[in-house]
Amino acid sequence: MRDDLHVLTGSYVLDAISDGEREEFERHLQACLSCDAEVRGLRETAARLALARAVAPPARMEQRVLAATYQTRQLPPLAASHLQAPRPASWPRRVAIAAAAASVAAAVSLGVAQLSTQHQLVTVRTSVA
């Protein structure tokens, strides 16, 4: 059995598959509950669409729509600069960001070293006293 049989539900309902595919899909349909449910739902939808009918538009609708299009100002096309993808940050900005990150990392490591040294000093003082 092919794995792609699940995608044939819509084509099966609309009778848009070959006879060989139809036979294979109908065998699959007997064992696959999800495909069976989808086929039933698609058949119901197709039946409802078949019952739908076009409704005549209100009188003078075409004239009103055309009149509105003549009164509506068309927007000019976008300039080519607006259509380009945003450019990545320039290298000076990248260097500044890297320097700021390095400064923060250095400050954190110095703070941790200071706290560690302070803790060692307190420990030595309490053991000597």
Side-chain angles (χ1 to χ4, degrees):
M1 181 182 343
R2 297 184 345 211
D3 289 335
D4 61 342
L5 287 174
H6 299 283
V7 299
L8 293 178
T9 54
S11 300
Y12 174 77
V13 169
L14 297 174
D15 197 25
I17 57 177
S18 68
D19 291 337
E21 286 177 320
R22 173 174 298 287
E23 291 172 6
E24 187 177 8
F25 184 77
E26 286 175 347
R27 282 193 301 273
H28 166 77
L29 197 56
Q30 293 173 355
C32 183
L33 296 177
S34 72
C35 284
D36 182 55
E38 188 171 353
V39 164
R40 280 187 276 117
L42 289 172
R43 281 185 176 152
E44 181 180 332
T45 301
R48 287 177 188 238
L49 287 172
L51 295 175
R53 60 182 176 89
V55 177
R60 297 182 26 92
M61 181 177 185
E62 182 180 8
Q63 289 84 9
R64 287 192 305 239
V65 170
L66 288 174
T69 60
Y70 292 127
Q71 295 172 358
T72 304
R73 182 175 172 264
Q74 184 176 356
L75 296 175
L78 292 175
S81 61
H82 293 298
L83 300 176
Q84 295 175 352
R87 293 182 8 206
S90 61
W91 71 268
R93 181 175 173 169
R94 289 182 184 172
V95 170
I97 291 172
S103 298
V104 169
V108 169
S109 62
L110 287 175
V112 169
Q114 173 64 27
L115 287 174
S116 176
T117 304
Q118 185 70 28
H119 179 69
Q120 289 173 356
L121 180 62
V122 170
T123 304
V124 169
R125 282 186 179 166
T126 55
S127 65
V128 171

